[in-house]
Amino acid sequence: MNKQIPPFFLSDEYFIDEKVNFLKFANEYKVYNDQGAQIGIIKQRISGWQKALTLLIDKRMMPFKLEITDTNDQLQATITRGWTFWMSKIIVTDPLGVEVGIIKQKFKFFKPTFTISSPTSGEEIAKISGDWKAWNFSITNNAGAEMGKINKKWAGALKEVFTTADKYNVSIDPSYAESNQKVAIVATAITIDMVLKESK
């Protein structure tokens, strides 16, 4: 086990459940493990001027910031995008602000694809692609082998824990090495719904 990466990313199963916060103009997503225990939260940070601009400017052009924290409100990773006009670049950083992944997105007939690259070498480390409307995504490594899935299938007792419609499961192959690459891949996978909504 690699103790250098945030403990949140040592899991292989993540269950994400959306909680809408109308007062803050932002959604929050609670993250659970496969036992139904909450292990974190994904928050969207929106400033006052951004709230005002959402009434005037297409949100697909606006920057966004997503923070992944554990249940003690300790930052685990951040996903940010600057101003964009088409097919933006998104950056994943660790709790110290060090870049661990660069995400680029492409859309083709409701089938979005996210490529995740190393910020140092530029080498592609993973790809997430699938059908947005059917909510079925595959996570593949740079050799094209499947190493994870994102879908809306829920196991047994966990069905009783979640009540909202916007919820999904991210499952990573347990044999995948714990590393900054896994941080970038999991951070991208568990925030995919937020990123897609901001890109619509």
Side-chain angles (χ1 to χ4, degrees):
M1 182 181 293
N2 185 335
K3 296 184 183 298
Q4 294 181 330
I5 75 171
F8 178 90
F9 294 100
L10 299 177
S11 178
D12 299 313
E13 295 283 345
Y14 300 85
F15 295 85
I16 296 88
D17 190 20
E18 179 182 10
K19 302 296 182 185
V20 180
N21 191 327
F22 294 105
L23 295 178
K24 294 183 179 179
F25 287 83
N27 297 340
E28 295 184 349
Y29 291 63
K30 292 186 177 182
V31 185
Y32 300 82
N33 63 17
D34 58 351
Q35 303 299 311
Q38 186 177 347
I39 58 174
I41 191 167
I42 306 166
K43 301 175 184 177
Q44 184 176 13
R45 299 296 184 185
I46 298 181
S47 64
W49 64 267
Q50 281 181 299
K51 291 177 186 177
L53 281 177
T54 55
L55 303 175
L56 305 170
I57 298 176
D58 190 332
K59 70 178 182 178
R60 290 176 294 185
M61 297 169 57
M62 295 179 62
F64 67 74
K65 181 177 184 180
L66 308 177
E67 292 182 352
I68 302 171
T69 62
D70 63 15
T71 50
N72 295 316
D73 205 33
Q74 296 296 304
L75 186 65
Q76 303 295 295
T78 304
I79 293 184
T80 54
R81 182 186 74 187
W83 288 95
T84 183
F85 293 97
W86 185 246
M87 296 304 118
S88 57
K89 180 174 80 170
I90 302 166
I91 298 172
V92 184
T93 54
D94 70 9
L96 299 178
V98 178
E99 292 185 11
V100 296
I102 304 293
I103 307 165
K104 292 184 180 179
Q105 55 185 138
K106 300 177 182 178
F107 285 88
K108 184 178 181 182
F109 304 114
F110 295 101
K111 293 184 182 295
T113 296
F114 295 82
T115 58
I116 307 166
S117 303
S118 164
T120 51
S121 68
E123 178 185 1
E124 183 178 306
I125 57 177
K127 181 183 292 184
I128 300 176
S129 57
D131 185 337
W132 185 15
K133 300 193 83 173
W135 258 101
N136 187 23
F137 296 85
S138 177
I139 307 170
T140 53
N141 62 20
N142 58 357
E146 187 171 88
M147 52 163 291
K149 291 179 179 293
I150 306 171
N151 57 47
K152 290 201 171 185
K153 293 181 179 178
W154 295 77
L158 286 173
K159 290 180 180 179
E160 305 302 320
V161 178
F162 305 98
T163 56
T164 62
D166 284 322
K167 51 184 179 285
Y168 53 99
N169 166 228
V170 173
S171 180
I172 303 294
D173 186 334
S175 67
Y176 190 74
E178 316 287 4
S179 66
N180 278 337
Q181 289 191 357
K182 184 179 179 185
V183 172
I185 293 165
V186 170
T188 305
I190 67 173
T191 61
I192 196 167
D193 189 57
M194 274 190 170
V195 172
L196 287 169
K197 284 181 177 178
E198 289 302 307
S199 302
K200 285 178 67 180

